[in-house]
mmCIF file of all heavy atoms in Angstrom:
data_model
loop_
_atom_site.group_PDB
_atom_site.id
_atom_site.type_symbol
_atom_site.label_atom_id
_atom_site.label_comp_id
_atom_site.label_asym_id
_atom_site.label_seq_id
_atom_site.Cartn_x
_atom_site.Cartn_y
_atom_site.Cartn_z
ATOM 1 N N LEU A 1 126.435 103.943 88.621
ATOM 2 C CA LEU A 1 125.650 102.927 89.171
ATOM 3 C C LEU A 1 126.362 101.941 90.111
ATOM 4 O O LEU A 1 125.886 101.524 91.191
ATOM 5 C CB LEU A 1 124.973 102.138 88.087
ATOM 6 C CG LEU A 1 124.007 102.819 87.227
ATOM 7 C CD1 LEU A 1 123.369 101.968 86.111
ATOM 8 C CD2 LEU A 1 122.833 103.276 88.070
ATOM 9 N N ASP A 2 127.576 101.605 89.804
ATOM 10 C CA ASP A 2 128.478 100.775 90.591
ATOM 11 C C ASP A 2 128.794 101.432 92.085
ATOM 12 O O ASP A 2 128.696 100.890 93.029
ATOM 13 C CB ASP A 2 129.698 100.393 89.942
ATOM 14 C CG ASP A 2 129.533 99.505 88.808
ATOM 15 O OD1 ASP A 2 128.614 98.829 88.723
ATOM 16 O OD2 ASP A 2 130.415 99.523 87.850
ATOM 17 N N ILE A 3 129.015 102.695 91.942
ATOM 18 C CA ILE A 3 129.272 103.458 93.096
ATOM 19 C C ILE A 3 127.992 103.502 93.955
ATOM 20 O O ILE A 3 128.089 103.397 95.179
ATOM 21 C CB ILE A 3 129.861 104.943 92.794
ATOM 22 C CG1 ILE A 3 131.186 104.766 92.025
ATOM 23 C CG2 ILE A 3 129.904 105.766 94.069
ATOM 24 C CD1 ILE A 3 131.729 106.224 91.579
ATOM 25 N N LEU A 4 126.828 103.765 93.300
ATOM 26 C CA LEU A 4 125.660 103.832 94.099
ATOM 27 C C LEU A 4 125.398 102.531 94.765
ATOM 28 O O LEU A 4 124.920 102.392 95.882
ATOM 29 C CB LEU A 4 124.549 104.221 93.144
ATOM 30 C CG LEU A 4 123.123 104.297 93.724
ATOM 31 C CD1 LEU A 4 123.002 105.366 94.813
ATOM 32 C CD2 LEU A 4 122.009 104.536 92.687
ATOM 33 N N GLY A 5 125.559 101.332 94.093
ATOM 34 C CA GLY A 5 125.395 100.089 94.624
ATOM 35 C C GLY A 5 126.345 99.893 95.833
ATOM 36 O O GLY A 5 125.814 99.230 96.782
ATOM 37 N N LEU A 6 127.523 100.287 95.742
ATOM 38 C CA LEU A 6 128.484 100.092 96.880
ATOM 39 C C LEU A 6 127.943 100.878 98.122
ATOM 40 O O LEU A 6 127.962 100.333 99.188
ATOM 41 C CB LEU A 6 129.822 100.612 96.513
ATOM 42 C CG LEU A 6 130.637 99.772 95.442
ATOM 43 C CD1 LEU A 6 131.924 100.357 95.044
ATOM 44 C CD2 LEU A 6 130.824 98.323 95.934
ATOM 45 N N TRP A 7 127.505 102.125 97.923
ATOM 46 C CA TRP A 7 126.919 102.873 99.007
ATOM 47 C C TRP A 7 125.716 102.200 99.617
ATOM 48 O O TRP A 7 125.455 102.225 100.712
ATOM 49 C CB TRP A 7 126.758 104.309 98.621
ATOM 50 C CG TRP A 7 128.092 105.094 98.658
ATOM 51 C CD1 TRP A 7 129.006 105.161 97.610
ATOM 52 C CD2 TRP A 7 128.568 105.872 99.666
ATOM 53 N NE1 TRP A 7 130.025 105.924 97.938
ATOM 54 C CE2 TRP A 7 129.844 106.381 99.173
ATOM 55 C CE3 TRP A 7 128.108 106.256 100.852
ATOM 56 C CZ2 TRP A 7 130.616 107.234 100.008
ATOM 57 C CZ3 TRP A 7 128.852 107.083 101.693
ATOM 58 C CH2 TRP A 7 130.154 107.493 101.263
ATOM 59 N N ILE A 8 124.853 101.850 98.754
ATOM 60 C CA ILE A 8 123.647 101.090 99.209
ATOM 61 C C ILE A 8 124.045 99.950 100.079
ATOM 62 O O ILE A 8 123.405 99.641 101.123
ATOM 63 C CB ILE A 8 122.685 100.803 98.043
ATOM 64 C CG1 ILE A 8 122.123 101.995 97.417
ATOM 65 C CG2 ILE A 8 121.574 99.880 98.547
ATOM 66 C CD1 ILE A 8 121.319 101.805 96.228
ATOM 67 N N GLY A 9 124.969 99.083 99.556
ATOM 68 C CA GLY A 9 125.377 97.936 100.252
ATOM 69 C C GLY A 9 125.994 98.240 101.579
ATOM 70 O O GLY A 9 125.764 97.518 102.591
ATOM 71 N N ALA A 10 126.906 99.321 101.627
ATOM 72 C CA ALA A 10 127.402 99.749 102.924
ATOM 73 C C ALA A 10 126.427 100.200 103.867
ATOM 74 O O ALA A 10 126.415 99.921 105.100
ATOM 75 C CB ALA A 10 128.437 100.873 102.617
ATOM 76 N N ALA A 11 125.428 101.021 103.416
ATOM 77 C CA ALA A 11 124.432 101.478 104.243
ATOM 78 C C ALA A 11 123.512 100.308 104.843
ATOM 79 O O ALA A 11 123.172 100.252 106.009
ATOM 80 C CB ALA A 11 123.538 102.492 103.557
ATOM 81 N N LEU A 12 123.119 99.343 103.983
ATOM 82 C CA LEU A 12 122.380 98.162 104.420
ATOM 83 C C LEU A 12 123.171 97.384 105.469
ATOM 84 O O LEU A 12 122.555 96.840 106.385
ATOM 85 C CB LEU A 12 121.936 97.343 103.314
ATOM 86 C CG LEU A 12 120.855 97.980 102.406
ATOM 87 C CD1 LEU A 12 120.534 97.132 101.203
ATOM 88 C CD2 LEU A 12 119.544 98.309 103.088
ATOM 89 N N SER A 13 124.489 97.183 105.166
ATOM 90 C CA SER A 13 125.263 96.458 106.110
ATOM 91 C C SER A 13 125.280 97.102 107.597
ATOM 92 O O SER A 13 125.245 96.509 108.541
ATOM 93 C CB SER A 13 126.772 96.290 105.529
ATOM 94 O OG SER A 13 126.707 95.607 104.333
ATOM 95 N N LEU A 14 125.453 98.447 107.428
ATOM 96 C CA LEU A 14 125.452 99.167 108.803
ATOM 97 C C LEU A 14 124.094 99.045 109.449
ATOM 98 O O LEU A 14 124.015 98.962 110.721
ATOM 99 C CB LEU A 14 125.756 100.666 108.567
ATOM 100 C CG LEU A 14 127.218 100.873 108.107
ATOM 101 C CD1 LEU A 14 127.431 102.388 107.871
ATOM 102 C CD2 LEU A 14 128.161 100.385 109.231
ATOM 103 N N CYS A 15 123.005 99.013 108.678
ATOM 104 C CA CYS A 15 121.633 98.831 109.161
ATOM 105 C C CYS A 15 121.523 97.499 109.901
ATOM 106 O O CYS A 15 120.946 97.340 111.028
ATOM 107 C CB CYS A 15 120.610 99.055 108.136
ATOM 108 S SG CYS A 15 120.451 100.707 107.483
ATOM 109 N N ILE A 16 122.181 96.448 109.283
ATOM 110 C CA ILE A 16 122.080 95.100 109.903
ATOM 111 C C ILE A 16 122.917 95.091 111.204
ATOM 112 O O ILE A 16 122.485 94.585 112.247
ATOM 113 C CB ILE A 16 122.597 94.057 108.919
ATOM 114 C CG1 ILE A 16 121.626 93.930 107.666
ATOM 115 C CG2 ILE A 16 122.787 92.711 109.589
ATOM 116 C CD1 ILE A 16 120.235 93.437 108.081
ATOM 117 N N PHE A 17 124.135 95.751 111.159
ATOM 118 C CA PHE A 17 124.982 95.733 112.370
ATOM 119 C C PHE A 17 124.341 96.564 113.464
ATOM 120 O O PHE A 17 124.686 96.381 114.574
ATOM 121 C CB PHE A 17 126.339 96.333 111.981
ATOM 122 C CG PHE A 17 127.243 95.384 111.201
ATOM 123 C CD1 PHE A 17 128.079 95.833 110.250
ATOM 124 C CD2 PHE A 17 127.178 94.032 111.438
ATOM 125 C CE1 PHE A 17 128.847 95.010 109.456
ATOM 126 C CE2 PHE A 17 127.891 93.128 110.611
ATOM 127 C CZ PHE A 17 128.745 93.678 109.718
ATOM 128 N N SER A 18 123.405 97.389 113.095
ATOM 129 C CA SER A 18 122.767 98.196 114.230
ATOM 130 C C SER A 18 122.017 97.312 115.109
ATOM 131 O O SER A 18 121.598 97.805 116.263
ATOM 132 C CB SER A 18 121.838 99.318 113.645
ATOM 133 O OG SER A 18 120.812 98.709 112.963
ATOM 134 N N PHE A 19 121.651 96.084 114.769
ATOM 135 C CA PHE A 19 120.894 95.228 115.656
ATOM 136 C C PHE A 19 121.764 94.812 116.820
ATOM 137 O O PHE A 19 121.256 94.444 117.916
ATOM 138 C CB PHE A 19 120.538 93.929 114.888
ATOM 139 C CG PHE A 19 119.641 93.002 115.666
ATOM 140 C CD1 PHE A 19 118.336 93.231 115.897
ATOM 141 C CD2 PHE A 19 120.181 91.957 116.293
ATOM 142 C CE1 PHE A 19 117.506 92.349 116.674
ATOM 143 C CE2 PHE A 19 119.352 90.978 116.927
ATOM 144 C CZ PHE A 19 118.019 91.207 117.172
ATOM 145 N N LEU A 20 123.098 95.011 116.680
ATOM 146 C CA LEU A 20 123.886 94.700 117.902
ATOM 147 C C LEU A 20 123.672 95.649 119.062
ATOM 148 O O LEU A 20 123.894 95.336 120.202
ATOM 149 C CB LEU A 20 125.418 94.798 117.530
ATOM 150 C CG LEU A 20 125.882 93.907 116.410
ATOM 151 C CD1 LEU A 20 127.378 94.233 116.005
ATOM 152 C CD2 LEU A 20 125.853 92.387 117.041
ATOM 153 N N TYR A 21 123.144 96.857 118.821
ATOM 154 C CA TYR A 21 122.756 97.705 119.878
ATOM 155 C C TYR A 21 121.328 97.348 120.352
ATOM 156 O O TYR A 21 121.116 97.045 121.548
ATOM 157 C CB TYR A 21 122.770 99.187 119.286
ATOM 158 C CG TYR A 21 122.194 100.176 120.220
ATOM 159 C CD1 TYR A 21 122.641 100.425 121.509
ATOM 160 C CD2 TYR A 21 120.976 100.910 119.933
ATOM 161 C CE1 TYR A 21 122.210 101.375 122.332
ATOM 162 C CE2 TYR A 21 120.442 101.883 120.821
ATOM 163 C CZ TYR A 21 121.038 102.086 122.022
ATOM 164 O OH TYR A 21 120.476 102.901 122.847
ATOM 165 N N ARG A 22 120.350 97.348 119.468
ATOM 166 C CA ARG A 22 119.070 96.834 119.739
ATOM 167 C C ARG A 22 118.169 96.865 118.554
ATOM 168 O O ARG A 22 118.558 97.329 117.489
ATOM 169 C CB ARG A 22 118.353 97.756 120.840
ATOM 170 C CG ARG A 22 118.047 99.202 120.439
ATOM 171 C CD ARG A 22 117.334 99.967 121.429
ATOM 172 N NE ARG A 22 117.121 101.350 120.974
ATOM 173 C CZ ARG A 22 116.471 102.267 121.720
ATOM 174 N NH1 ARG A 22 116.199 102.000 122.861
ATOM 175 N NH2 ARG A 22 116.159 103.477 121.175
ATOM 176 N N ASP A 23 117.050 96.292 118.573
ATOM 177 C CA ASP A 23 116.059 96.161 117.505
ATOM 178 C C ASP A 23 115.606 97.573 117.095
ATOM 179 O O ASP A 23 115.331 98.367 118.061
ATOM 180 C CB ASP A 23 114.982 95.257 117.700
ATOM 181 C CG ASP A 23 114.203 94.927 116.517
ATOM 182 O OD1 ASP A 23 114.588 95.365 115.420
ATOM 183 O OD2 ASP A 23 113.075 94.359 116.617
ATOM 184 N N ASN A 24 115.721 98.006 115.826
ATOM 185 C CA ASN A 24 115.378 99.359 115.370
ATOM 186 C C ASN A 24 114.785 99.276 114.060
ATOM 187 O O ASN A 24 114.881 98.309 113.324
ATOM 188 C CB ASN A 24 116.588 100.211 115.576
ATOM 189 C CG ASN A 24 117.751 99.744 114.679
ATOM 190 O OD1 ASN A 24 117.701 100.006 113.455
ATOM 191 N ND2 ASN A 24 118.692 98.988 115.309
ATOM 192 N N PRO A 25 114.149 100.428 113.622
ATOM 193 C CA PRO A 25 113.576 100.448 112.304
ATOM 194 C C PRO A 25 114.487 100.275 111.129
ATOM 195 O O PRO A 25 114.154 99.735 110.083
ATOM 196 C CB PRO A 25 112.873 101.792 112.159
ATOM 197 C CG PRO A 25 112.549 102.201 113.689
ATOM 198 C CD PRO A 25 113.733 101.583 114.422
ATOM 199 N N LEU A 26 115.800 100.703 111.313
ATOM 200 C CA LEU A 26 116.800 100.570 110.203
ATOM 201 C C LEU A 26 117.051 99.197 110.000
ATOM 202 O O LEU A 26 117.223 98.679 108.847
ATOM 203 C CB LEU A 26 117.985 101.383 110.578
ATOM 204 C CG LEU A 26 117.863 102.887 110.646
ATOM 205 C CD1 LEU A 26 119.153 103.524 111.093
ATOM 206 C CD2 LEU A 26 117.411 103.450 109.241
ATOM 207 N N TYR A 27 117.185 98.393 111.113
ATOM 208 C CA TYR A 27 117.471 96.890 110.953
ATOM 209 C C TYR A 27 116.240 96.241 110.281
ATOM 210 O O TYR A 27 116.462 95.412 109.391
ATOM 211 C CB TYR A 27 117.751 96.259 112.325
ATOM 212 C CG TYR A 27 117.685 94.746 112.326
ATOM 213 C CD1 TYR A 27 118.810 94.063 111.788
ATOM 214 C CD2 TYR A 27 116.632 94.051 112.712
ATOM 215 C CE1 TYR A 27 118.856 92.753 111.720
ATOM 216 C CE2 TYR A 27 116.650 92.768 112.701
ATOM 217 C CZ TYR A 27 117.684 91.969 112.155
ATOM 218 O OH TYR A 27 117.683 90.706 112.178
ATOM 219 N N ARG A 28 114.996 96.588 110.744
ATOM 220 C CA ARG A 28 113.894 95.995 110.057
ATOM 221 C C ARG A 28 113.791 96.362 108.543
ATOM 222 O O ARG A 28 113.317 95.508 107.738
ATOM 223 C CB ARG A 28 112.634 96.319 110.839
ATOM 224 C CG ARG A 28 112.492 95.679 112.270
ATOM 225 C CD ARG A 28 111.133 95.784 112.766
ATOM 226 N NE ARG A 28 110.858 97.260 113.104
ATOM 227 C CZ ARG A 28 111.115 97.781 114.309
ATOM 228 N NH1 ARG A 28 111.627 97.023 115.214
ATOM 229 N NH2 ARG A 28 110.793 99.109 114.453
ATOM 230 N N LEU A 29 114.120 97.534 108.282
ATOM 231 C CA LEU A 29 114.123 97.922 106.793
ATOM 232 C C LEU A 29 115.117 97.088 106.039
ATOM 233 O O LEU A 29 114.740 96.611 105.014
ATOM 234 C CB LEU A 29 114.464 99.386 106.705
ATOM 235 C CG LEU A 29 114.641 99.913 105.319
ATOM 236 C CD1 LEU A 29 113.338 99.863 104.487
ATOM 237 C CD2 LEU A 29 115.160 101.410 105.322
ATOM 238 N N ALA A 30 116.288 96.981 106.502
ATOM 239 C CA ALA A 30 117.291 96.173 105.803
ATOM 240 C C ALA A 30 116.914 94.752 105.804
ATOM 241 O O ALA A 30 117.163 94.033 104.729
ATOM 242 C CB ALA A 30 118.619 96.316 106.443
ATOM 243 N N GLU A 31 116.230 94.218 106.790
ATOM 244 C CA GLU A 31 115.844 92.877 106.859
ATOM 245 C C GLU A 31 114.761 92.550 105.688
ATOM 246 O O GLU A 31 114.803 91.627 104.976
ATOM 247 C CB GLU A 31 115.388 92.418 108.171
ATOM 248 C CG GLU A 31 114.870 91.011 108.329
ATOM 249 C CD GLU A 31 114.297 90.818 109.747
ATOM 250 O OE1 GLU A 31 113.835 91.687 110.398
ATOM 251 O OE2 GLU A 31 114.499 89.596 110.213
ATOM 252 N N HIS A 32 113.817 93.511 105.660
ATOM 253 C CA HIS A 32 112.717 93.309 104.586
ATOM 254 C C HIS A 32 113.241 93.452 103.206
ATOM 255 O O HIS A 32 112.878 92.794 102.269
ATOM 256 C CB HIS A 32 111.674 94.423 105.002
ATOM 257 C CG HIS A 32 110.759 94.114 106.054
ATOM 258 N ND1 HIS A 32 111.157 94.181 107.383
ATOM 259 C CD2 HIS A 32 109.505 93.653 106.149
ATOM 260 C CE1 HIS A 32 110.216 93.848 108.250
ATOM 261 N NE2 HIS A 32 109.198 93.484 107.510
ATOM 262 N N VAL A 33 114.254 94.447 103.101
ATOM 263 C CA VAL A 33 114.851 94.556 101.696
ATOM 264 C C VAL A 33 115.540 93.278 101.320
ATOM 265 O O VAL A 33 115.477 92.803 100.194
ATOM 266 C CB VAL A 33 115.800 95.783 101.735
ATOM 267 C CG1 VAL A 33 116.670 95.797 100.460
ATOM 268 C CG2 VAL A 33 115.033 97.075 101.852
ATOM 269 N N PHE A 34 116.304 92.728 102.267
ATOM 270 C CA PHE A 34 117.032 91.430 102.017
ATOM 271 C C PHE A 34 116.120 90.247 101.580
ATOM 272 O O PHE A 34 116.230 89.586 100.692
ATOM 273 C CB PHE A 34 117.925 91.071 103.180
ATOM 274 C CG PHE A 34 118.577 89.720 102.980
ATOM 275 C CD1 PHE A 34 119.692 89.608 102.284
ATOM 276 C CD2 PHE A 34 118.056 88.637 103.620
ATOM 277 C CE1 PHE A 34 120.343 88.445 102.121
ATOM 278 C CE2 PHE A 34 118.728 87.369 103.525
ATOM 279 C CZ PHE A 34 119.868 87.267 102.694
#
């Protein structure tokens, strides 16, 4: 469960950083989850 949480955190962090390129569905998904 800890490993799964780390990977989810890493994936959501990358989704947030994707906004540096442009607005996209992955960023909006991470934003809504947060």
